[in-house]
């Protein structure tokens, strides 16, 4: 069977495709969140305000904040633990400061980690650990990223550590660690 587009001039066919794409719902044109998060890897960009698009027009990922990185109690200048929201999912970023341009800090995203859905409405929700409630078992005052799962209602034990990562600045990577390497003392402070 012959395509109905075969008899159309090339320009008309391209215009038809643009019209079809424009008529599609926006979410059908947006790449999957995994692709959007992966597109951030290696990106160099000027700092943007929280909530602003990191790649305007090319991704739904927005800046979600950052915090300093500590290694054995010392702040690591030139590095930050960043976060982005991509299509409703949290993405952890390891960012290296590349300098300044026109008064704005320039960052390079060295590593990207798409975190599991947090699902706060579940009976045992997941959440990110806060530094004041957990510490690495070796006692080093070193930054980490951890996903915790709350215990069942009525169980007063600390939350379960589901996943743990530390920051390897020499290699510019987030490294998965055994969950047993993180000790949590209790529930997150209010």
């Amino acid at each position: 069977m012959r395509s109905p587009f075969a008899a159309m001039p090339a320009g008309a066919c391209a215009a038809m495709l643009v019209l079809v794409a424009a008529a599609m719902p926006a979410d059908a044109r947006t790449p999957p969140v995994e692709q959007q998060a992966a597109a951030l890897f290696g990106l160099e960009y000027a700092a943007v305000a929280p909530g602003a698009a990191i790649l305007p027009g090319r991704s739904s990922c927005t800046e979600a904040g950052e915090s300093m990185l500590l290694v054995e109690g010392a702040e690591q200048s030139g590095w930050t633990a960043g976060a982005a929201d991509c299509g409703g999912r949290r993405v952890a970023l390891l960012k290296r400061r590349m300098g300044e341009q026109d008064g704005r800090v320039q960052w390079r995203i060295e590593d990207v980690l798409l975190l599991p859905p947090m699902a706060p409405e579940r009976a045992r929700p997941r959440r990110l650990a806060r530094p004041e409630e957990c510490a690495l078992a070796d006692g080093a005052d070193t930054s980490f990223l951890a996903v915790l799962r709350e215990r069942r209602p009525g169980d007063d034990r600390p939350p379960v550590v589901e996943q743990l990562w530390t920051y390897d600045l020499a290699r510019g990577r987030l490294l998965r660690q055994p969950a047993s390497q993180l000790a949590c003392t209790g529930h997150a402070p209010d």
Side-chain angles (χ1 to χ4, degrees):
M1 173 179 244
R2 191 168 168 204
S3 166
F5 298 109
M8 296 177 106
C13 190
M16 177 74 87
L17 290 174
V18 169
L19 287 173
V20 169
M24 293 172 61
D27 59 346
R29 292 188 304 257
T30 304
V33 84
E34 294 83 3
Q35 270 185 306
Q36 293 183 57
L40 298 176
F41 183 80
L43 176 71
E44 289 190 22
Y45 72 106
V48 296
I54 296 172
L55 281 169
R58 296 186 7 218
S59 169
S60 71
C61 297
T62 58
E63 183 75 36
E66 58 189 45
S67 62
M68 68 178 173
L69 286 173
L70 297 176
V71 174
E72 296 180 359
E75 183 178 346
Q76 302 302 297
S77 63
W79 292 91
T80 189
D85 284 319
C86 295
R89 292 274 298 274
R90 183 55 58 110
V91 179
L93 307 172
L94 176 58
K95 301 186 329 186
R96 180 193 310 246
R97 185 182 177 129
M98 303 304 289
E100 278 192 35
Q101 185 175 3
D102 300 325
R104 294 174 65 193
V105 174
Q106 300 293 307
W107 294 105
R108 176 179 165 79
I109 298 175
E110 298 289 344
D111 206 1
V112 175
L113 176 66
L114 180 64
L115 296 170
M118 295 296 133
E121 70 282 352
R122 295 181 61 171
R124 294 181 57 216
R126 284 186 181 117
R127 64 181 174 81
L128 295 177
R130 296 183 191 172
E132 57 271 12
E133 68 179 316
C134 301
L136 292 170
D138 64 8
D141 188 11
T142 298
S143 296
F144 61 85
L145 176 66
V147 175
L148 306 180
R149 179 162 313 261
E150 293 294 341
R151 301 280 184 168
R152 297 191 188 288
D155 188 337
D156 290 333
R157 292 179 295 166
V160 175
V161 179
E162 283 195 343
Q163 298 173 356
L164 171 65
W165 297 268
T166 56
Y167 299 89
D168 180 345
L169 303 184
R171 293 179 18 205
R173 297 286 176 256
L174 282 154
L175 295 180
R176 183 85 183 255
Q177 303 292 340
S180 62
Q181 295 299 308
L182 191 69
C184 296
T185 57
H187 301 283
D190 292 326

